[in-house]
Amino acid sequence: MSPLKSRKERPWWRDAVTYQIYPRSYADSNGDGIGDVEGIRSRLPYLKQLGIDAIWISPWYPSPQHDHGYDVADYMDIEPDYGTLAQAETLIKEANDLGIKLIVDIVPNHTSSDHKWFQAALKAGPGSPERDRYMFRDGKGPNGDLPPNNWEAVFGGCAWERVIEADGKPGQWYLHLFAVEQPDLNWENPEVVAHLEDVLKFWLDRGVAGFRIDVAHGMFKEAGLPDIRKDPAASMLGTEHKPFWDQEGVHDIYRSWRKILDSYPGDRMAVAEAWVSPSERIARYVRSDELQNSFNFEMLTTLWDAKEIKTKINNSIDALEEVGAPTSWVFNNHDVVRSVDRLDLGLTNHGDTTLSRQGDPKKLNIARGTLRARSAALMTLALPGGTYLYQGEELAVPEVRDIPEDRLTDPRWKMSGFSDRGRDGCRVPMPWTSNPAGAFGFSTNASLKPEQAWLPQSSWWGTYAVDTQDGVEGSTLSMYRKALAIRKGEEGLGDGPMEWIEAGKDVVAFERPGDFACYINFGAPIELPSNSQVLVSSGPITGHTLPTDTAVWVRLVS
Ligand code: GLC
Ligand code: CA
């Protein structure tokens, strides 16, 4: 274990609690039913009170919103629906003044097809420098009618799209590993490299603490763009090595980005969204001259099982320990089914957003799922390393499964031939008030109805609202606030050593410095040590008995 350094001595990103905001769905300040920058700003006091260290904002740049901002049309401005650059600058400053760091989302693998570079590439024609910024290729077959290889888009369908050339005839194909409107950039092109460096500096100059790097394992493609194996076992997001994921070239980029980050004062950082495995592959992104954090997605793919969770914790910590990096735990984000549902139904994959694999909602036991999600949160917040939370998890909202089909917006829905409902169910606008006016307080426009928010809110959504949980003993919000406050006060939580406690096969238990311990019970009720003093728990506890599916933080008093 790395030597324990005090909070003041260690960089903040080693154990920060970062709260992800999906800007479209957080708070709407101008009444149009779409979240915006001023809306986020109006909620800074809430975030301060919650006790997080940093916020990460999903892409807020001008975008035609085919993938809700992950299709960027201009990396150096703000989406007009969300506000202005000046408002973003004020938000960054006010957050910083409150002691909250702000991280922006950088999307380097692809741009929007509306980006001026892509528009220029379409006009300029084959062989031009404009096309070289993207992955244009001639098709196969006698007339180039067939795609250049057999790659599939992550959202479904072919990863290649054919364009119409100036002569009005079908011509070259371009690669899009995601939506058709998200053409992949060519990272062998020096202009691409230089532009993204400018983008980093642009935001660093404006006071952001760092970046979340979208599809950080993409960008480089294997020379020759070889075909991939085609069988169900070799799915696009599966673990088998692919010629478009986790290529060596990405590490050169991160080494140069690290130099840029280090050239600014105040421990600027970046976190990789790299869906790679095993953990040793993740560790390569956080070597000492590369990025500071890389999401640990192990907990998104876990069953609610003590043995499996223990193994995953050990593997993750050990692999990153090798390179001296902290683990960055993730239990929720805008791409996966909410933890309440996942941990109850036993959904285990990044691909679990498909309709067939979303599990049977009739089998969902919300009370049990909620308890498990809360226990999982307490567990992560007690583990060494940092934690990334996703808006709404502090309210324990479940996945929303009753969005009418004609209101689904995720590109997955269309690209899967309307078989995969996609990720909208975890992106429904935040419920702030139990009163439905203003879409449960999401909007300043009191006459906006819940179904009029950009993604409709269901009638039951208000039962999770902030105002029903605020100050209520035993609510999920109170549990998060309490845990985050304790975490701040405990020098030993966050970065530093941990030790397993043997407490039975259905229990995950570990000790942290300061006589602090965390117990999570996956089985029948157990007795906690008689010298344990309860600090916070995920559910009701009487005496020293820890019920099923419940987690607790205790101080072991001597
Ligand atoms: C990442 C994002 C996801 C997006 C995709 C394409 O996985 O988290 O939301 O759709 O990249 O940019
Ligand atoms: Ca708005």
Side-chain angles (χ1 to χ4, degrees):
M1 276 288 162
S2 40
L4 184 60
K5 282 195 183 148
S6 77
R7 279 247 157 82
K8 282 208 185 77
E9 286 169 309
R10 64 196 184 217
W12 67 276
W13 46 257
R14 286 197 67 90
D15 55 12
V17 176
T18 304
Y19 181 94
Q20 180 190 358
I21 291 182
Y22 198 68
R24 245 186 134 65
S25 300
Y26 204 57
D28 166 27
S29 75
N30 64 349
D32 62 358
I34 299 172
D36 46 51
V37 176
E38 286 294 286
I40 299 172
R41 194 162 73 91
S42 73
R43 298 300 177 180
L44 284 177
Y46 169 79
L47 293 163
K48 179 72 190 169
Q49 201 193 353
L50 183 56
I52 45 99
D53 303 301
I55 52 184
W56 143 35
I57 302 194
S58 277
W60 58 359
Y61 319 106
S63 160
Q65 307 287 327
H66 291 292
D67 190 16
H68 302 316
Y70 285 96
D71 46 331
V72 181
D74 178 357
Y75 293 86
M76 302 196 198
D77 205 347
I78 293 291
E79 159 63 37
D81 275 349
Y82 297 169
T84 64
L85 186 56
Q87 288 171 346
E89 285 169 350
T90 307
L91 173 66
I92 297 167
K93 188 178 172 305
E94 284 188 11
N96 282 341
D97 289 348
L98 285 171
I100 298 174
K101 306 200 183 274
L102 192 144
I103 293 168
V104 292
D105 207 317
I106 288 295
V107 188
N109 182 69
H110 43 264
T111 70
S112 159
S113 49
D114 281 11
H115 194 283
K116 65 174 194 257
W117 274 3
F118 192 72
Q119 289 303 316
L122 288 180
K123 281 200 198 85
S128 61
E130 286 83 354
R131 283 216 175 164
D132 189 58
R133 293 176 185 137
Y134 292 90
M135 305 291 290
F136 279 88
R137 294 289 184 279
D138 293 331
K140 281 192 179 150
N143 301 312
D145 289 343
L146 299 171
N149 67 21
N150 71 352
W151 297 359
E152 278 161 21
V154 172
F155 296 150
C158 178
W160 294 92
E161 180 76 5
R162 198 167 193 192
V163 302
I164 303 294
E165 303 293 1
D167 60 6
K169 295 199 182 115
Q172 285 196 303
W173 298 70
Y174 70 86
L175 178 69
H176 60 89
L177 288 179
F178 292 87
V180 181
E181 300 87 357
Q182 290 169 306
D184 279 56
L185 285 164
N186 171 19
W187 273 84
E188 313 274 351
N189 182 307
E191 267 186 279
V192 170
V193 177
H195 182 58
L196 265 295
E197 289 187 358
D198 289 345
V199 169
L200 297 187
K201 291 177 196 154
F202 179 88
W203 291 104
L204 289 168
D205 288 341
R206 278 162 183 76
V208 304
F211 305 94
R212 178 263 188 189
I213 304 170
D214 189 65
V215 199
H217 58 314
M219 295 143 90
F220 277 90
K221 279 81 191 176
E222 195 177 312
L225 312 182
D227 276 350
I228 55 167
R229 240 179 76 201
K230 271 292 177 63
D231 56 71
S235 76
M236 282 294 287
L237 293 169
T239 50
E240 186 185 274
H241 191 70
K242 300 282 180 341
F244 33 81
W245 299 143
D246 204 18
Q247 302 290 309
E248 209 41 50
V250 295
H251 297 289
D252 293 332
I253 298 295
Y254 297 141
R255 276 186 277 270
S256 64
W257 286 12
R258 179 60 180 260
K259 291 199 185 100
I260 296 174
L261 293 168
D262 286 349
S263 72
Y264 283 79
D267 288 330
R268 311 290 175 108
M269 57 79 76
V271 51
E273 185 219 19
W275 283 92
V276 300
S277 62
S279 302
E280 287 71 27
R281 295 299 294 185
I282 295 184
R284 304 177 82 247
Y285 289 77
V286 285
R287 289 176 286 198
S288 60
D289 59 346
E290 295 193 37
L291 306 174
Q292 287 83 350
N293 284 184
S294 184
F295 291 136
N296 180 308
F297 291 132
E298 294 277 352
M299 294 299 167
L300 297 181
T301 62
T302 192
L303 288 174
W304 187 245
D305 176 85
K307 191 170 167 226
E308 181 175 341
I309 287 187
K310 250 177 119 161
T311 309
K312 289 193 154 168
I313 292 172
N314 275 332
N315 291 349
S316 312
I317 294 179
D318 291 352
L320 268 59
E321 192 57 23
E322 291 279 303
V323 292
T327 311
S328 305
W329 306 102
V330 179
F331 257 103
N332 285 287
N333 64 33
H334 65 296
D335 289 329
V336 297
V337 174
R338 291 273 186 183
S339 55
V340 170
D341 291 52
R342 249 179 27 238
L343 295 173
D344 189 58
L345 293 171
L347 311 180
T348 56
N349 270 309
H350 183 39
D352 268 342
T353 46
T354 57
L355 188 60
S356 54
R357 295 163 74 197
Q358 265 184 0
D360 182 355
K362 287 199 271 331
K363 291 207 184 112
L364 178 66
N365 178 335
I366 286 261
R368 188 175 57 196
T370 306
L371 200 47
R372 289 181 178 176
R374 288 165 53 141
S375 300
L378 276 193
M379 179 182 78
T380 2
L381 288 170
L383 286 169
T387 301
Y388 287 84
L389 307 175
Y390 174 48
Q391 67 181 50
E393 75 164 84
E394 77 276 26
L395 309 174
V397 298
E399 183 78 3
V400 179
R401 296 161 180 275
D402 51 6
I403 302 172
E405 289 189 351
D406 62 358
R407 296 290 300 275
L408 292 174
T409 67
D410 186 350
R412 267 180 193 273
W413 175 234
K414 195 168 130 203
M415 290 180 76
S416 67
F418 306 104
S419 68
D420 178 345
R421 286 174 65 90
R423 303 159 294 177
D424 288 333
C426 66
R427 299 171 175 180
V428 173
M430 277 280 281
W432 294 94
T433 60
S434 56
N435 185 326
F440 297 115
F442 163 65
S443 176
T444 52
N445 173 0
S447 60
L448 193 84
K449 297 191 178 70
E451 65 272 21
Q452 291 173 320
W454 78 272
L455 260 184
Q457 299 162 315
S458 308
S459 55
W460 49 268
W461 195 230
T463 56
Y464 292 90
V466 171
D467 72 351
T468 65
Q469 303 197 29
D470 191 6
V472 176
E473 182 61 33
S475 72
T476 305
L477 181 58
S478 297
M479 183 201 83
Y480 270 82
R481 282 182 182 154
K482 204 162 166 186
L484 289 169
I486 296 170
R487 188 178 155 108
K488 271 219 163 72
E490 290 279 327
E491 261 300 316
L493 277 181
D495 208 12
M498 73 174 267
E499 266 191 65
W500 292 112
I501 301 173
E502 275 316 322
K505 75 170 178 35
D506 291 328
V507 181
V508 169
F510 51 91
E511 217 178 319
R512 303 296 319 272
D515 302 319
F516 175 99
C518 176
Y519 286 80
I520 308 101
N521 184 10
F522 298 76
I526 56 155
E527 285 304 302
L528 293 165
S530 56
N531 65 335
S532 50
Q533 207 177 66
V534 173
L535 303 174
V536 59
S537 64
S538 62
I541 290 190
T542 19
H544 280 108
T545 309
L546 186 63
T548 306
D549 289 340
T550 307
V552 66
W553 288 6
V554 298
R555 169 120 37 235
L556 300 167
V557 289
S558 44

